[in-house]
Amino acid sequence: MRTKVVYGKKGRGPLSTGFGADVCILEQGQVKKQPKAEERPIPSVLTEICGNIILENFAALKIDSPAPKKRHIRSQKLKRRVSFPRISPSPPQSLLKPQFSQRLASIDGDTTEYVKPLATFCSDIEDFQGWADERIKLLGMIKIGEGSYGEVYRATNKEGESAIFKLLPLRARKGVGSKIYTRIEDAANEVQLLQKMSEVPGFVEFRGACLLHGPMPKHFVSEWKAYLTTGRTVESRDPSRKNAYPPTQLWLAIEMSDAGEDLSQGHYTPPRHSGEPLGERYLSIQRTWDIFWQIVRALTLAEIHASFEHRDLHLGNICIKETRSQIDTEDCKFIPRNRPTPFKLDHTGVQASLIDYTLSRATVAEDRILFSNIGADKDLMNHPEPMYRDMAKVLSPEGWGPFSPKTNLVWISRLLKKMLEVTKEPSEEARREEEGKITVTATMLMILEEVRDMTSVERWEEWMVGSAESLVTMGVERGWFLIKDVLKT
C-alpha cells in the first residue's frame, strides 16, 4: 500500500523515481490535439469568460463590465470579459539562491552533456558541500518528509520566512547509481510541470532549481538520522553508510513556496483557544467550505490553463496555511432556504494548495503533454482504495493521455466525503429554522452534502457535471458563490 508524506510520494517499489519510468511525454502527432475550449462537451461560463487566455498576473485581472444576471448565466452571450495584462511577473523570492556566492563543481564534459535536459532550469553545477555550508550559516534546514525521490526540507531564515525544497538524487550516467534514482529526463519533466502550474492560484510556487555534485554534507546526514527517530517510514539510503552515495553523486534541489501542512497529518484542527478539547480533530463547516471550494477553484483554473488532471488528490496532497488568526464561529443569520445568498470562499483565513503532481496529466506546451500511465502500474490498480480504478472508468477511450477532467471529479467526490466525515455537526442554534429560512452555516452544509451526493462515484454515469470547471459553473448558476470570488486570488 502506498503512503504519502508532505510534498512527496512514497515509492511503490524500491527506489522508484520521482516521475517514474512510466511517465509519458506525447509530442506532436502522437495523440489528437486537445479540443478548443468551445468544443468541450460541457458548456461552462468560465470557458466563455476565460477562453484560452493564459493565467498571468492574476492579481491584476480587470473586469470590464458587470456580470449578467445569474439566472441567465449559462445561455446568455456574456459581455463581460476578464483580461490578464501580459506583464512578466517579477521573479519569486528565493531563500536558497540570493546573497550566496557560487562554488562551481569540477565536472567533465560528458557529465555536462548528460545533464543537458536540466540546462533550462540550472545553468551551472555547484559543489554540494560549498552550497550547504553557505546556506546553513543563514538558514535553518529541517527534514520534514521523504519519498522514493529523496528528501524534503523546510528552510527558514532569521526573519521567519520559509520555503520548501526537494533534494533528489539523480541517476548516474554509468557505474554506481546508474540503475536507480531519478532519471535526468524525469527530473526535467517534474520541474517543467512545477513551473507550469505555479502560474495558477492554489498551486505551490516554483522558485528555482539547482544542480549539485558530491556526497551528502554532514548537516543533511544529521537531519536524516533525526528524521529516523520520529518513527515515520524511511525508504531512502542511510547517507552515513560508506557506499550510500558515490563521491560523484548528482543531485537536484527544487525550491518551492511553503504551503503549510498537509491535511492527512490532522493539521485541520482550528485554533486551540476556540474552547475545544486539545487534540480533537475536526473541521468547522466554514473551514470545510473554504478548503473544498478553494481546491475546486484551483482545479478549475488548472483545467483551463493546462488541461490539468491531478489524479492523486488525497488529503496528503492538500496543504493548508493560516493567513490570519481567528476563531471559527458559526453564522446563525437566517437566509431563504431555496435562494441562498452567494458565499465567499474565505471565511476562516485558511489557504489551501495542491501539491505533488507525480501522477498528474497536463499540457505544458503546445502539443506537449506530460502524464503517467497509471493503468500499467499494478500496485496502483490493485490499491485497497478504489480511486485509481474509478479513474479508469471515466477516462477517454484513448486512455491516460487525452484530457479527461472527470478524473478530477473522482477525487473531488472522495475529498468532500472524507472532509465531511471529520466536519463538526452544527450546533442547535445553527440548526434552527424560521418561516422557510435556515442559517448560513446550515445552508453551507446543505450545499456541501448536495455536491457530495451528486458527485458520488458509485453513480458516475448519472453525473450532471463533467469537470471541476462545470461544477463551479453550476455553483455560480445556483447562487452558491460569484464568479469574481472564483477568479479572485
Side-chain angles (χ1 to χ4, degrees), residues 284-329:
S284 67
I285 292 171
Q286 286 88 343
R287 189 164 286 239
T288 297
W289 175 275
D290 285 355
I291 295 172
F292 175 72
W293 286 115
Q294 285 180 30
I295 293 301
V296 175
R297 175 177 65 186
L299 287 172
T300 295
L301 298 174
E303 287 176 357
I304 295 170
H305 180 54
S307 297
F308 178 85
E309 304 166 50
H310 193 285
R311 296 184 173 179
D312 202 20
L313 196 57
H314 53 75
L315 294 179
N317 282 338
I318 297 171
C319 285
I320 63 171
K321 194 173 188 178
E322 304 291 338
T323 61
R324 61 179 183 264
S325 178
Q326 71 174 63
I327 300 173
D328 293 357
T329 56

Side-chain angles (χ1 to χ4, degrees), residues 46 200-203 288-304 308 310 313 318 345 352-354 405 408-417 419 447-448 451-452 455 465-476 480-481 485-488:
L46 290 175
V200 181
F203 286 73
T288 297
W289 175 275
D290 285 355
I291 295 172
F292 175 72
W293 286 115
Q294 285 180 30
I295 293 301
V296 175
R297 175 177 65 186
L299 287 172
T300 295
L301 298 174
E303 287 176 357
I304 295 170
F308 178 85
H310 193 285
L313 196 57
I318 297 171
L345 308 183
S353 301
L354 283 65
N408 283 334
L409 281 179
V410 168
W411 288 99
I412 285 172
S413 174
R414 181 179 185 273
L415 170 64
L416 183 53
K417 182 179 178 181
M419 291 178 67
I447 292 171
L448 291 171
V451 173
R452 176 197 61 192
T455 59
V465 292
S467 62
E469 183 183 347
S470 56
L471 178 58
V472 165
T473 298
M474 174 183 286
V476 172
W480 298 344
F481 37 73
D485 290 323
V486 174
L487 295 178
K488 181 180 178 182

Side-chain angles (χ1 to χ4, degrees), residues 423-440:
T423 297
K424 190 177 182 181
E425 290 291 329
S427 66
E428 185 175 342
E429 182 181 6
R431 288 197 296 266
R432 289 184 301 122
E433 298 186 25
E434 183 181 281
E435 298 179 353
K437 296 181 179 181
I438 60 176
T439 67
V440 169

Side-chain angles (χ1 to χ4, degrees), residues 346-358:
D346 180 20
H347 295 267
T348 59
V350 67
Q351 178 180 307
S353 301
L354 283 65
I355 64 171
D356 193 352
Y357 321 135
T358 303

Side-chain angles (χ1 to χ4, degrees), residues 138-379:
L138 299 176
L139 300 173
M141 290 193 182
I142 300 174
K143 181 174 176 179
I144 61 171
E146 74 159 46
S148 55
Y149 56 80
E151 320 287 332
V152 183
Y153 292 82
R154 175 174 282 120
T156 308
N157 65 15
K158 295 178 181 179
E159 288 72 39
E161 300 170 321
S162 61
I164 299 296
F165 75 96
K166 288 183 178 183
L167 186 61
L168 289 77
L170 298 176
R171 186 172 296 185
R173 181 169 56 88
K174 60 182 180 179
V176 179
S178 61
K179 296 183 179 180
I180 54 177
Y181 307 135
T182 302
R183 295 191 309 154
I184 297 293
E185 295 80 5
D186 294 339
N189 292 338
E190 181 166 1
V191 173
Q192 186 177 16
L193 186 52
L194 274 167
Q195 189 175 49
K196 178 74 174 180
M197 301 316 299
S198 68
E199 301 170 12
V200 181
F203 286 73
V204 291
E205 180 185 50
F206 170 71
R207 294 184 173 179
C210 57
L211 274 167
L212 305 173
H213 179 270
M216 183 176 281
K218 290 182 179 180
H219 176 81
F220 292 90
V221 174
S222 298
E223 282 298 317
W224 187 93
K225 292 181 178 179
Y227 184 81
L228 186 65
T229 64
T230 64
R232 286 174 283 185
T233 303
V234 176
E235 293 189 355
S236 59
R237 291 186 169 190
D238 180 352
S240 65
R241 297 180 62 179
K242 184 177 180 180
N243 297 320
Y245 298 104
T248 56
Q249 178 66 48
L250 287 169
W251 309 80
L252 180 66
I254 304 174
E255 183 181 358
M256 299 165 286
S257 58
D258 189 346
E261 307 294 342
D262 73 85
L263 281 176
S264 71
Q265 305 296 321
H267 293 292
Y268 45 77
T269 305
R272 295 176 180 178
H273 58 273
S274 64
E276 294 297 328
L278 181 62
E280 181 171 344
R281 296 175 59 182
Y282 74 89
L283 288 163
S284 67
I285 292 171
Q286 286 88 343
R287 189 164 286 239
T288 297
W289 175 275
D290 285 355
I291 295 172
F292 175 72
W293 286 115
Q294 285 180 30
I295 293 301
V296 175
R297 175 177 65 186
L299 287 172
T300 295
L301 298 174
E303 287 176 357
I304 295 170
H305 180 54
S307 297
F308 178 85
E309 304 166 50
H310 193 285
R311 296 184 173 179
D312 202 20
L313 196 57
H314 53 75
L315 294 179
N317 282 338
I318 297 171
C319 285
I320 63 171
K321 194 173 188 178
E322 304 291 338
T323 61
R324 61 179 183 264
S325 178
Q326 71 174 63
I327 300 173
D328 293 357
T329 56
E330 295 178 320
D331 189 340
C332 295
K333 180 179 67 178
F334 284 111
I335 60 175
R337 174 187 286 273
N338 297 319
R339 190 165 49 85
T341 301
F343 301 125
K344 296 185 180 298
L345 308 183
D346 180 20
H347 295 267
T348 59
V350 67
Q351 178 180 307
S353 301
L354 283 65
I355 64 171
D356 193 352
Y357 321 135
T358 303
L359 299 182
S360 298
R361 183 263 181 227
T363 303
V364 294
E366 185 176 359
D367 299 316
R368 177 174 169 80
I369 300 168
L370 297 180
F371 73 99
S372 183
N373 186 12
I374 297 173
D377 191 315
K378 294 182 180 179
D379 290 338

